[in-house]
Amino acid sequence: MGRELFLDFFTEHEVPVIRKRRHTFLNMDDENVYVLKEGVVKVSVLMRDGREFNIAYLKGFDILSMFKDAVVDCKFSSLMIRVESEEASFCLVSREDFSRAVKRDEKLKEYVEAYYRENLQRALYRQKCMTMNGKSGAIYGFLYNLISLFGKENEEGILIDMQVTNDDIAGFCGISTRNSVNRILRGLREENVIRIVDNKILILNADYLKPYAD
């Protein structure tokens, strides 16, 4: 529903579209609302002590500015949006025009409010994984949740059809070194839970990971 509402809005206002290549960053200003139309981006925050903490992979269609408003607070120095697919396209909408549209369209208003609630739930879920399940549980839950974003079933299991580095996993799961990630992933390979195929993760036993994502 939200996608259709926004597409109607884009058509009505003839909003501009910009495109970014893989591993380039999107610099967002406060005057516009930025919407990821197509592609995949990684959202992370730079802490004031210089550490980078990954928040989420977002897959088009998604409202990046609303995500920024929902998860960034004063303890972060900046939000970073990096393109992870070969290319991503973004729509830019005047924040003033967007605010007027939300006020006059009840369905769009409901969608915006629901978006904020969902992102709060995501943040609480991630915190729960890291505090209750430790490093291993955080990684297990993270891998399981990649299935809904990038999973493609084949005869052997579910291929995570995007290259996710150990550094990125560490950043998502609040782990300080990639060595810990290496050790945990090696344990999963030895248990025949995952396999690495062409630098991508093939999940052989999703049920093993699922309890840590519930």
Side-chain angles (χ1 to χ4, degrees):
M1 175 64 71
R3 180 186 179 94
E4 287 73 20
L5 290 171
F6 273 89
L7 289 177
D8 290 343
F9 179 87
F10 296 157
T11 301
E12 178 185 349
H13 289 79
E14 298 182 350
V15 301
V17 176
I18 62 173
R19 289 176 171 79
K20 294 280 188 177
R21 301 294 297 173
R22 187 170 185 261
H23 286 177
T24 57
F25 288 88
L26 175 69
N27 297 316
M28 294 192 295
D29 57 46
D30 293 329
E31 296 178 358
N32 294 292
V33 172
Y34 290 76
V35 177
L36 173 62
K37 186 178 181 183
E38 294 178 335
V40 178
V41 299
K42 182 182 73 174
V43 181
S44 58
V45 289
L46 188 65
M47 309 294 285
R48 295 193 181 278
D49 61 6
R51 290 178 298 144
E52 181 179 349
F53 180 75
N54 297 334
I55 298 176
Y57 285 120
L58 297 181
K59 191 176 181 180
F61 174 86
D62 209 294
I63 304 90
L64 300 177
S65 294
M66 288 166 57
F67 190 92
K68 174 184 176 182
D69 294 342
V71 301
V72 174
D73 58 35
C74 61
K75 67 176 177 288
F76 303 131
S77 61
S78 62
L79 182 89
M80 297 182 292
I81 307 289
R82 192 179 82 166
V83 176
E84 297 298 319
S85 51
E86 289 302 315
E87 184 180 86
S89 59
F90 307 87
C91 295
L92 275 66
V93 184
S94 163
R95 191 175 286 270
E96 185 176 342
D97 290 341
F98 180 75
S99 297
R100 282 199 296 263
V102 170
K103 288 179 181 178
R104 68 171 182 258
D105 190 321
E106 193 62 31
K107 290 184 178 180
L108 187 58
K109 181 180 179 181
E110 290 175 0
Y111 176 77
V112 170
E113 291 175 348
Y115 188 96
Y116 280 108
R117 289 195 301 271
E118 290 170 5
N119 278 284
L120 177 59
Q121 290 171 351
R122 289 177 190 171
L124 292 173
Y125 161 76
R126 286 185 48 75
Q127 188 65 29
K128 180 183 117 177
C129 280
M130 287 186 290
T131 56
M132 296 183 65
N133 295 322
K135 294 179 181 179
S136 295
I139 290 177
Y140 296 172
F142 172 73
L143 293 178
Y144 186 84
N145 283 302
L146 289 179
I147 294 174
S148 61
L149 282 172
F150 311 116
K152 290 188 176 180
E153 292 190 24
N154 59 30
E155 293 180 354
E156 295 183 279
I158 304 172
L159 179 70
I160 304 303
D161 194 23
M162 195 184 80
Q163 291 187 10
V164 181
T165 69
N166 288 2
D167 286 332
D168 281 338
I169 295 174
F172 274 109
C173 297
I175 299 173
S176 58
T177 66
R178 62 178 296 172
N179 290 335
S180 296
V181 177
N182 291 339
R183 175 178 53 78
I184 293 168
L185 293 183
R186 183 171 61 249
L188 290 176
R189 291 197 299 270
E190 291 172 353
E191 292 287 335
N192 206 34
V193 176
I194 66 169
R195 184 188 306 156
I196 305 302
V197 179
D198 295 330
N199 294 321
K200 297 179 180 179
I201 299 170
L202 175 64
I203 297 178
L204 305 172
N205 185 355
D207 289 339
Y208 186 97
L209 305 172
K210 184 177 181 180
Y212 299 91
D214 283 342

